[in-house]
Amino acid sequence: KVTVSEVKGDVTLSWLNGLIRLNRCQGITKIDSSDSSLQVVGGSGEVHVNMPKGKALIDGFQGLVKASGVESEWTMAAGAPTDLNITTSAGSVRLKWKGGANVFLTSTGGSINGPELLKKSVREGRKVVQGALPGRAPGQVFVRTATGGIFWAQ
């Protein structure tokens, strides 16, 4: 278990497995873990995560979240003007978003439960949900999965 709290500055963390908790950190945080339970609560700046397996909960972070995984499951509670970029193969992505956003959700074999306002289509064999959600200072939301589901709640 590792807990990093209220750091103002850059953090790089390589961790095999176990609990990783970031509380109200500011700056650029880079996390590389093979199989962890990641919790990011509050904070601002950038969070870059490479986690092939495990579960991540990112709640109330403001800035850029860039995450990649294979079987990892991602739960994000965020809002504008935060930018999310999540790529995973078999893991699911759950989004609870507040505010405006430019949204692009895509999956080859997983289901997509996206906002009703957005355009749904199939492009080159991939399901796509995209468009703009109204609101001031919109964020960017990009999620791509191969077989994992994408679930959106507002």
Side-chain angles (χ1 to χ4, degrees):
K1 172 181 170 179
V2 64
T3 300
V4 179
S5 293
E6 300 184 18
V7 170
K8 292 182 180 177
D10 298 346
V11 175
T12 300
L13 180 63
S14 294
W15 199 254
L16 287 177
N17 59 15
L19 176 63
I20 301 170
R21 183 176 292 151
L22 301 175
N23 297 317
R24 298 174 305 280
C25 293
Q26 298 176 12
I28 299 173
T29 302
K30 295 180 181 178
I31 299 169
D32 193 0
S33 176
S34 59
D35 184 2
S36 289
S37 177
L38 170 65
Q39 297 174 356
V40 177
V41 178
S44 62
E46 297 181 15
V47 173
H48 300 264
V49 182
N50 177 30
M51 190 170 68
K53 292 174 71 175
K55 292 185 179 186
L57 168 64
I58 299 177
D59 188 2
F61 184 84
Q62 295 182 335
L64 170 67
V65 176
K66 188 165 185 175
S68 64
V70 178
E71 296 175 10
S72 41
E73 296 178 12
W74 305 90
T75 301
M76 309 282 183
T82 297
D83 294 332
L84 301 178
N85 184 326
I86 305 165
T87 305
T88 185
S89 295
S92 63
V93 179
R94 299 183 184 285
L95 300 165
K96 185 174 183 182
W97 186 266
K98 292 184 181 180
N102 293 313
V103 179
F104 186 87
L105 313 174
T106 184
S107 182
T108 303
S111 61
I112 302 177
N113 177 6
E116 292 298 320
L117 295 172
L118 303 184
K119 179 182 172 189
K120 296 164 183 62
S121 62
V122 176
R123 243 188 258 158
E124 298 176 6
R126 298 183 68 84
K127 298 171 200 151
V128 175
V129 175
Q130 74 178 63
L133 293 176
R136 294 178 51 170
Q140 304 287 328
V141 178
F142 175 89
V143 178
R144 180 177 63 216
T145 71
T147 59
I150 303 170
F151 308 96
W152 185 287
Q154 270 189 304

